[in-house]
Amino acid sequence: MTIASASPTAREMAIPWWAGNARLTHLSGKLLGAHVAHAGLIVLWAGAMTLFELNRFDLTQPMYEQGLILLPNLARLGYGVGTGEQIIDTYPYFAIGAIHLISSAFLGIGGIFHSLKGPETLEERFSFFGYRWQDADKMTTILGIHLVLLGLGAFLLVAKSMFFGGLYDPEVAEVRSIAHPTLNPAVIFGYLFGAGGRFWIASVDNLEAVVGGHIWVGVMCIAGGFWHILTEPFGWAKRILVWSGEAYLSYSIGAVSLMAFVATLFVSVNALVFPEAFFGPTLRIGFNIVPYFYSPDGAVTSRVWLANAHFWLGFFFLQGHIWHALRAAGFDFQQGKVVQPVREVS
């Protein structure tokens, strides 16, 4: 077992150009450019798709029958919704789409700059932003920063629900502010342990608990983020975990897969956070060689699209997690065996 170096291995140098970001494993500056450009593409899609859906949106027809996936999500956040489930103002949808398009341009410029003009490795100019995959302390610091950002994201929803317009509540068929979110840990964590019903956390049936749950998630993410920033991994964690770029990718894809499956459950059965007025009736699960989610009346609603898309994305992400985890452990798919041992952290 040897200490891993920061230089590319022969195995990594053999990666072809079409393999994407794998070619940039040891080029932190170029990898940053790829990530910023990727973020730009995501934001571009969100803005363009929002405006595309808005262009074909018919106010006289149910939203869930029009093949929409972004406008229903904006509506459940309370944008443009009046009393009685009616969409009374589509300007917020236009504004949100336009803001995303403009933002994508700046992200795209940033991605191009870091890909073509910026330093190949961040260590060349900015030691604080430099890193080595085998540096466990630096990797957990980066993890901590991401957790803090996720926590702030959770609090953005809390702020929207409590202070900036509220959320759409299907129980009263109107947008309302959530002035008194549930903070009782017995209630919030009760959902996590199945106390809410047979659909696990998707059994939540009131917006006060939804917002209270986001407050708890925000606090824990931020607290955990600072803990990871200020501390080093325990010895047992350094020994058990694999500390390499491939391993981190496998961990991340595994987490995304889990979230996709959780989203599938929520979209399918929960009519509180995914109101029937915007997404259609809740779904049932069927099996015809493979599982699928369908509406009781056979309609292909926004809920059907989202549930099935999330399930299959989660399934393929899971395969990616397994594939990258095996590679991180030293398994070579061409030879069909482990060709190098898992390297220790430095």
Side-chain angles (χ1 to χ4, degrees), residues 135-284:
D135 185 344
D137 185 32
K138 187 67 174 184
M139 291 300 105
T140 51
T141 296
I142 294 173
L143 170 63
I145 294 170
H146 281 75
L147 287 173
V148 171
L149 293 175
L150 288 172
L152 293 176
F155 277 116
L156 284 177
L157 178 67
V158 174
K160 171 66 173 72
S161 64
M162 295 183 66
F163 310 115
F164 300 105
L167 303 175
Y168 176 77
D169 188 349
E171 295 296 319
V172 296
E174 63 181 26
V175 178
R176 68 179 181 90
S177 295
I178 315 303
H180 304 287
T182 301
L183 299 177
N184 185 342
V187 174
I188 298 301
F189 292 97
Y191 287 108
L192 186 63
F193 293 102
R198 65 191 182 102
F199 292 126
W200 189 44
I201 60 175
S203 300
V204 62
D205 59 0
N206 64 91
L207 290 180
E208 280 69 20
V210 171
V211 176
H214 279 78
I215 292 175
W216 273 99
V217 168
V219 169
M220 290 188 297
C221 281
I222 293 174
F226 280 111
W227 187 84
H228 281 294
I229 291 171
L230 299 174
T231 63
E232 292 189 22
F234 294 123
W236 61 264
K238 289 185 177 181
R239 292 189 299 269
I240 292 176
L241 298 175
V242 179
W243 302 85
S244 69
E246 189 99 25
Y248 307 143
L249 179 58
S250 74
Y251 304 150
S252 300
I253 297 177
V256 172
S257 174
L258 174 61
M259 294 303 102
F261 287 131
V262 173
T264 301
L265 175 64
F266 249 107
V267 173
S268 298
V269 304
N270 192 286
L272 174 73
V273 293
F274 292 95
E276 293 189 354
F278 308 136
F279 293 89
T282 55
L283 307 181
R284 300 174 183 172

Side-chain angles (χ1 to χ4, degrees), residues 71-137:
L71 296 193
N73 276 288
L74 294 177
R76 72 184 178 121
L77 293 174
Y79 292 110
V81 184
T83 302
E85 305 174 346
Q86 297 298 312
I87 305 299
I88 60 173
D89 184 10
T90 60
Y91 180 76
Y93 306 153
F94 169 78
I96 290 171
I99 290 171
H100 277 77
L101 282 181
I102 296 169
S103 301
S104 72
F106 287 97
L107 288 168
I109 292 171
I112 293 172
F113 171 80
H114 284 289
S115 297
L116 301 179
K117 291 294 184 180
E120 288 194 344
T121 57
L122 298 174
E123 298 90 324
E124 295 176 21
R125 298 183 188 175
F126 312 102
S127 58
F128 175 79
F129 295 104
Y131 58 84
R132 291 185 307 111
W133 299 121
Q134 293 78 24
D135 185 344
D137 185 32

